[in-house]
Amino acid sequence: MDADAVRDAIANERMSLCDLLEELDDAEWATPSLCAGWTAKDVVAHLTTTTRTTVLDMVAGMARARGDFHRMTDRRARRRAQRFTPAELVAQLRQSAISPRRMPGSGPLDPLVDLLVHGQDIARPLHRDRPLPASPAVAALTYVAGNRFYDAPARLADLHLVATDVDWTSGSGQEISGAVGDLLLIAMGRPAGLAGLSGPGTDVLTARMHGLEPRPGR
């Protein structure tokens, strides 16, 4: 995907996620997401920070979190979730739909990864169908699979991933196959993606991920 396509995909994901969020009732907003310790509302609050975090915000937040990026991310999301109503958070996400701003230090594809994965974090526990668009999902999965920040290279070492719904493969070793959405989830450390996978490498991956939860903001 070129830069324009990535920007369009980010905007589309923000808007379509807002459409889904507007259907949720209070109980669904309070439902635990796939992100350990975060409700659906916490996840949405986190997504609103992407275009609202300055370098100074980052420096101050990291100092308060004693240098722990994930602690900082967690605290910011929880504060915003407490401060704003669901309707306000949805409005903020819509307002930033076409914004090119992103978290300081992040790359052009990071906001897309955030939206695709966090959309599943919200939708799957609610048994809501949220199909992933093929090209953005492939771009996100390719990026994540080789990105140490997401811990994916270690998680996927010696495994050959094969997507069954798009033309995509990665790595070498024992094969794991599944839909691109499930592969993206396991690359990001979400055990929920394991149920949709098959192949001799599945047991290896399951053992690696057993008892592990994705850290807030990741």
Side-chain angles (χ1 to χ4, degrees), residues 71 74 86 96 98 102 124 135 152 172 189 202 206 216:
R71 182 183 294 122
D74 182 51
S96 63
I98 62 172
R102 59 179 186 264
R124 292 201 177 200
S135 293
S172 60
T202 306
T206 300

Side-chain angles (χ1 to χ4, degrees), residues 143-168:
Y143 175 66
V144 169
N147 195 314
R148 292 182 180 178
F149 174 77
Y150 296 114
D151 299 328
R155 187 176 296 120
L156 304 176
D158 302 318
L159 296 173
H160 178 51
L161 274 60
V162 179
T164 56
D165 54 346
V166 295
D167 183 16
W168 184 90

Side-chain angles (χ1 to χ4, degrees), residues 3-162:
D4 288 341
V6 171
R7 285 194 294 269
D8 288 345
I10 290 170
N12 289 338
E13 283 303 301
R14 284 178 178 145
M15 294 300 286
S16 68
L17 181 57
C18 286
D19 291 342
L20 170 64
L21 295 172
E22 287 177 340
E23 299 175 0
L24 305 188
D25 60 28
D26 290 343
E28 289 175 311
W29 275 93
T31 299
S33 74
L34 297 183
C35 259
W38 276 7
T39 64
K41 187 179 182 184
D42 294 325
V43 175
V44 178
H46 163 67
L47 290 173
T48 66
T49 67
T50 303
T51 58
R52 293 173 171 82
T53 301
T54 67
V55 173
L56 288 177
D57 291 334
M58 178 74 78
V59 171
M62 288 290 285
R64 287 191 293 269
R66 300 189 298 281
D68 189 320
F69 175 80
H70 302 290
R71 182 183 294 122
M72 178 198 70
T73 301
D74 182 51
R75 288 176 175 176
R76 295 198 73 215
R78 291 179 188 276
R79 284 198 300 268
R80 291 186 68 82
Q82 292 174 352
R83 179 181 176 186
F84 298 108
T85 67
E88 289 171 331
L89 291 172
V90 173
Q92 290 172 17
L93 198 57
R94 280 197 187 279
Q95 184 184 41
S96 63
I98 62 172
S99 173
R101 293 186 60 186
R102 59 179 186 264
M103 193 75 72
S106 65
L109 280 169
D110 285 304
L112 180 59
V113 171
D114 245 15
L115 287 158
L116 292 173
V117 175
H118 286 317
Q120 297 300 306
D121 288 340
I122 294 168
R124 292 201 177 200
L126 297 175
H127 306 291
R128 298 271 186 152
D129 186 31
R130 184 165 172 74
L132 296 185
S135 293
V138 166
L141 179 54
T142 303
Y143 175 66
V144 169
N147 195 314
R148 292 182 180 178
F149 174 77
Y150 296 114
D151 299 328
R155 187 176 296 120
L156 304 176
D158 302 318
L159 296 173
H160 178 51
L161 274 60
V162 179

